[in-house]
Amino acid sequence: MENRFYIKELDSYQKASDLSKERMGTNPNYDLELLPTKQMQEEMWEFLQYRGKNLVAEKFYTERRFYHHLCRMLKEKNNRPESFLDWDKEKWMQQMKIWLLQQGLSLTAPFKNKCGGRGTQRARTLGYIECLIDYLTDLRDADVNEITKDVWKIEKLDIQVKQDLIRPRKTISFTGISQPELKEEIKKAVYFQLRIESLETVKKELTAIRRLSKYLKETYPDIHSAEELNRELLEEYLTYLATEAEGVNNYRADLTNLRGLLEPIGKLYGYSHLESLFLTSDLPKQ
């Protein structure tokens, strides 16, 4: 399967102007195959998903330059790491500075603020690397004790959760998911999703996957992990949703929410078949 992160799939791309889309080209993307290891590709995918939610599409597109600097530096290294977390941030910055100087590129760049003042700042490639390593380090250093529980207290998570400030929720629950292995896979995916999606969206995704868990318990009790899901089983489940399942008020929304968790699980655990489990034809038109 082609290992690329497509900018067209971002919400911000859909909202971009025609001129902005023209500047980005016909099919803008990040080629993850430029990274030397599978682990780095998976880590970068998570970072790009997070970054893409927080930048307008064209700015996200222009950051490909700094991404390419990183990939080229790694390609030229003999003793390169397997993961972005194998080196501390200081070493990443040191190695990136050495490479920039070898390429004849400056370690600083001029800037102009809103008031017209001018000055210099560090090269944007270095800022990009720092942002990447900080993000992945924060994920690694999460509050493990809290995320191992079946009910998480929002205030105890080490991430900023987006939710309704007028009616904030205090917890997020994983009860109702019968398969222990699947539950752990879902927890990890939810932790990543909470960085880029609102709590309400994630709770809808959990509702959809609880319904799948109940179906698996009753129909396929020997299935314990998302890795064991396949297209044939999904087609049976789609028929069940359309004809027998209770509480499905919006078939399209339920499938969208289910895919919203299964695809990140596929990325995080290397279950590549989950990324192509759903077909466009599965989702009825609005």
Side-chain angles (χ1 to χ4, degrees):
M1 181 181 294
E2 195 175 22
N3 196 6
R4 294 176 182 267
F5 188 100
Y6 289 98
I7 299 175
K8 280 186 174 182
E9 296 179 2
L10 297 175
D11 289 341
S12 59
Y13 181 88
Q14 307 306 321
K15 300 173 184 177
S17 67
D18 291 340
L19 179 60
S20 181
K21 290 178 180 177
E22 183 179 343
R23 284 195 290 258
M24 286 186 278
T26 56
N27 195 15
N29 64 83
Y30 282 74
D31 184 0
L32 297 180
E33 293 293 341
L34 296 177
L35 291 168
T37 71
K38 181 67 175 176
Q39 181 68 25
M40 283 187 174
Q41 292 169 14
E42 292 175 357
E43 292 167 346
M44 181 57 72
W45 187 91
E46 290 301 330
F47 176 69
L48 292 176
Q49 181 140 322
Y50 158 76
R51 197 73 171 161
K53 294 283 186 178
N54 291 278
L55 295 177
V56 297
E58 189 169 358
K59 185 173 182 180
F60 181 75
Y61 169 78
T62 60
E63 285 195 343
R64 292 194 318 163
R65 177 188 175 194
F66 317 131
Y67 169 71
H68 289 151
H69 284 173
L70 170 63
C71 294
R72 288 172 58 192
M73 184 273 285
L74 286 169
K75 184 178 181 179
E76 296 171 12
K77 293 292 294 181
N78 291 324
N79 299 317
R80 58 194 176 210
E82 288 292 315
S83 163
F84 284 112
L85 295 173
D86 287 346
W87 290 350
D88 59 28
K89 184 166 64 175
E90 288 71 23
K91 183 166 183 177
W92 277 108
M93 300 297 281
Q94 178 193 51
Q95 294 299 313
M96 201 70 239
K97 287 177 181 178
I98 293 172
W99 184 86
L100 288 172
L101 291 173
Q102 289 173 341
Q103 306 305 309
L105 299 173
S106 176
L107 300 183
T108 61
F111 78 90
K112 180 179 179 180
N113 61 31
K114 295 180 180 180
C115 299
R118 296 177 181 273
T120 58
Q121 61 185 4
R122 66 181 175 180
R124 292 181 64 189
T125 298
L126 298 176
Y128 185 80
I129 299 302
E130 182 174 52
C131 186
L132 167 67
I133 302 305
D134 283 347
Y135 174 79
L136 295 174
T137 301
D138 286 345
L139 292 184
R140 181 194 63 191
D141 298 339
D143 185 344
V144 177
N145 291 328
E146 189 64 24
I147 64 178
T148 56
K149 300 175 183 177
D150 283 354
V151 179
W152 295 353
K153 292 183 179 179
I154 302 298
E155 63 181 16
K156 289 190 175 182
L157 296 177
D158 68 335
I159 54 178
Q160 185 174 356
V161 177
K162 304 173 186 177
Q163 62 170 318
D164 188 341
L165 297 179
I166 299 176
R167 299 173 60 187
R169 297 179 181 271
K170 295 183 178 181
T171 61
I172 185 167
S173 175
F174 297 89
T175 57
I177 301 171
S178 304
Q179 301 79 8
E181 189 172 345
L182 176 62
K183 184 185 292 185
E184 293 308 307
E185 294 165 344
I186 292 168
K187 285 181 179 180
K188 186 172 182 180
V190 164
Y191 183 78
F192 279 96
Q193 292 295 83
L194 285 173
R195 290 177 166 269
I196 58 177
E197 294 182 346
S198 70
L199 178 59
E200 288 306 312
T201 297
V202 172
K203 288 177 78 69
K204 290 175 183 177
E205 292 172 346
L206 275 172
T207 297
I209 211 153
R210 282 193 192 94
R211 188 175 287 117
L212 173 62
S213 173
K214 180 181 178 183
Y215 173 80
L216 293 176
K217 180 181 179 181
E218 296 173 353
T219 312
Y220 292 95
D222 292 333
I223 288 183
H224 306 289
S225 163
E227 184 179 17
E228 300 169 81
L229 301 179
N230 55 46
R231 178 64 195 176
E232 182 180 357
L233 188 153
L234 178 66
E235 289 178 353
E236 293 179 14
Y237 182 64
L238 297 183
T239 302
Y240 166 78
L241 281 182
T243 59
E244 301 179 46
E246 299 179 356
V248 181
N249 299 320
N250 188 318
Y251 179 79
R252 178 185 174 88
D254 198 75
L255 287 189
T256 301
N257 290 327
L258 181 62
R259 184 174 65 177
L261 275 184
L262 288 181
E263 289 187 351
I265 289 174
K267 288 285 187 181
L268 291 168
Y269 285 89
Y271 306 156
S272 58
H273 65 286
L274 294 184
E275 299 171 45
S276 56
L277 194 63
F278 289 84
L279 304 179
T280 303
S281 57
D282 292 336
L283 300 175
K285 295 182 179 180
Q286 293 280 21

